[in-house]
């Protein structure tokens, strides 16, 4: 068994998780008890990617409120190339409340050589997400954590990530979560790139990536969350303002009786406070109550975010 395979097996035993039937490695979900009710023909899953460095209480609040949930009823921010952007926090609470998805899968990004400021390993961030989710919600709650990128050499590009998920779970309909800030002129999704499947060693390096943004918009659904200061212009011909970007984008729609709960807690602030606490004995009192207690303990035990 390879080192990554041994780590997967150890994590599954210690965290009490199982792989889905027919899964070809990669993402796996917490085992959930059978409810005895008839499931929907196809499950709808919203993909929320990011660094989660570390996961905060705001993440859990955003992921955690789902009123009127019924059995069978149904990110990550990415940069212009389509790779995960640290600190980009779409509001999961909108996904849950709107009923746009049966489940939300959090996918901590894999290694990012282009982001040298990342101090934590993908495995550390994955473990923190598991601790946060499973100390905040019951095992049957529809928020899951995936290790799809944890053991990879580099993070997925968005198109490659969604293609991989579709291949592993052909019975699931996936939607990728973005904010309205990614529909601005400087963030042209049509120019997002992915790996060239035909590239081989010896070929020019500039051919290693190809533009697949147009194909991405044609092949996958996008859930768009409005963000303050990033408006999308509507027209009589396009009342939503989204059709100009592609046929498979739609806004999150909140029920009439629900108000958006906003959270401004920053993972950057958590890291800065943890580093400052090092000179005060490392008790991390400045981040207590801002992240789940188990994540605080994990950070302290591994001395994450301390100044070296």
């Amino acid at each position: 068994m390879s080192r990554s395979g041994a780590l997967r097996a150890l994590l599954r035993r210690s965290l009490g998780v199982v792989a889905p039937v027919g899964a070809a490695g990669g993402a796996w979900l917490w085992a959930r008890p059978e409810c005895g009710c008839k499931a929907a023909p196809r499950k709808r899953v919203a993909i929320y990617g990011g660094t989660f460095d570390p996961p905060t209480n705001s993440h859990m609040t955003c992921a955690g409120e789902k009123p009127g949930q019924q059995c069978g009823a149904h990110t990550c921010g990415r940069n212009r190339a389509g790779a995960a952007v640290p600190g980009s926090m779409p509001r999961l609470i909108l996904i849950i409340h709107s009923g746009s998805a049966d489940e939300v899968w959090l996918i901590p990004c894999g290694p990012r050589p282009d982001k040298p400021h990342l101090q934590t390993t993908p495995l550390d961030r994955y473990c923190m997400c598991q601790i946060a989710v499973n100390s905040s919600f019951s095992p049957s709650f529809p928020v899951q954590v995936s290790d799809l990128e944890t053991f990879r050499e580099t993070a997925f590009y968005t198109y490659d990530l969604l293609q991989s998920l579709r291949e592993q779970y052909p019975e699931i309909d996936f939607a990728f979560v973005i904010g309205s800030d990614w529909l601005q002129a400087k963030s042209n999704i049509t120019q997002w790139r992915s790996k060239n499947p035909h590239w081989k060693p010896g070929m020019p390096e500039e051919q290693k990536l190809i533009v697949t943004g147009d194909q991405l918009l044609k092949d996958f659904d996008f859930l768009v969350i409005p963000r303050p200061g990033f408006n999308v212009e509507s027209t009589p011909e396009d009342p939503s303002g989204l059709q100009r970007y592609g046929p498979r984008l739609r806004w999150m729609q909140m029920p009439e009786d629900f108000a958006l709960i906003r959270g401004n807690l920053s993972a950057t602030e958590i890291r800065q406070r943890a580093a400052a606490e090092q000179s005060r004995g490392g008790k991390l009192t400045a981040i207590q109550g801002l992240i789940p207690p188990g994540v605080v303990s994990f950070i302290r035990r591994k001395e994450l975010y301390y100044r070296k």
Side-chain angles (χ1 to χ4, degrees):
M1 181 181 293
S2 66
R3 182 172 179 272
S4 62
L7 283 171
R8 288 177 189 270
L10 178 60
L11 281 169
R12 287 170 180 161
R13 288 196 301 270
S14 61
L15 294 173
V17 294
V18 297
V21 175
W28 43 272
L29 305 178
W30 282 83
R32 300 201 299 175
E34 294 295 332
C35 62
C37 61
K38 187 176 180 181
R42 290 183 65 84
K43 183 183 293 184
R44 297 172 298 165
V45 173
I47 297 301
Y48 176 34
T51 55
F52 303 106
D53 191 30
T56 70
N57 284 346
S58 285
H59 296 139
M60 299 304 104
T61 299
C62 287
E65 300 193 9
K66 184 172 185 177
Q69 177 187 341
Q70 298 178 353
C71 296
H74 199 66
T75 132
C76 121
R78 302 257 149 179
N79 62 21
R80 274 180 274 178
V85 174
S88 183
M89 299 303 173
R91 299 304 182 192
L92 291 186
I93 193 170
L94 287 171
I95 304 170
I96 303 300
H97 279 180
S98 67
S100 298
D102 296 313
E103 294 183 2
V104 178
W105 292 5
L106 277 66
I107 303 184
C109 72
R112 293 291 306 275
D114 59 318
K115 300 292 181 181
H117 69 278
L118 280 177
Q119 302 176 35
T120 51
T121 67
L123 183 58
D124 281 338
R125 289 183 276 107
Y126 169 79
C127 288
M128 286 191 286
C129 284
Q130 284 285 14
I131 291 169
V133 166
N134 292 286
S135 61
S136 300
F137 311 121
S138 68
S140 62
F141 201 81
V143 178
Q144 316 288 349
V145 183
S146 168
D147 71 346
L148 186 61
E149 293 198 15
T150 303
F151 299 97
R152 288 177 50 82
E153 293 183 2
T154 59
F156 272 114
Y157 289 87
T158 303
Y159 185 72
D160 298 332
L161 169 67
L162 294 173
Q163 285 280 50
S164 177
L165 287 168
R166 175 179 283 177
E167 291 171 3
Q168 291 190 53
Y169 308 106
E171 75 284 4
I172 295 177
D173 292 328
F174 292 101
F176 192 69
V177 181
I178 62 173
S180 58
D181 50 326
W182 292 111
L183 299 179
Q184 308 302 308
K186 65 178 182 179
S187 303
N188 187 354
I189 296 179
T190 62
Q191 297 303 308
W192 283 13
R193 297 175 293 168
S194 63
K195 287 188 175 181
N196 182 354
H198 304 295
W199 187 89
K200 296 179 180 179
M203 296 177 65
E205 285 292 317
E206 59 268 21
Q207 297 180 14
K208 209 169 187 178
L209 298 177
I210 56 176
V211 176
T212 54
D214 282 330
Q215 197 65 38
L216 173 67
L217 291 167
K218 292 177 183 177
D219 289 354
F220 294 98
D221 293 322
F222 283 76
L223 302 179
V224 184
I225 298 178
R227 298 194 63 188
F230 297 96
N231 298 323
V232 175
E233 184 180 356
S234 61
T235 65
E237 297 76 21
D238 182 10
S240 71
L242 298 179
Q243 293 307 303
R244 71 174 70 100
Y245 302 101
R248 303 185 66 171
L249 286 79
R250 69 181 188 274
W251 291 106
M252 287 291 179
Q253 298 292 330
M254 293 294 289
E256 291 183 2
D257 297 335
F258 288 38
L260 172 61
I261 300 174
R262 300 181 183 274
N264 296 317
L265 184 56
S266 165
T268 301
E269 177 68 16
I270 300 298
R271 296 194 299 270
Q272 292 173 346
R273 290 190 182 199
E277 286 279 276
Q278 181 182 9
S279 61
R280 304 169 189 167
K283 295 183 178 180
L284 301 182
T285 56
I287 63 174
Q288 296 281 351
L290 303 180
I291 61 178
V295 177
V296 176
S297 298
F298 187 89
I299 291 172
R300 185 176 181 187
R301 181 181 292 273
K302 300 209 67 175
E303 297 184 349
L304 302 180
Y305 313 120
Y306 288 9
R307 298 187 178 97
K308 305 300 182 182

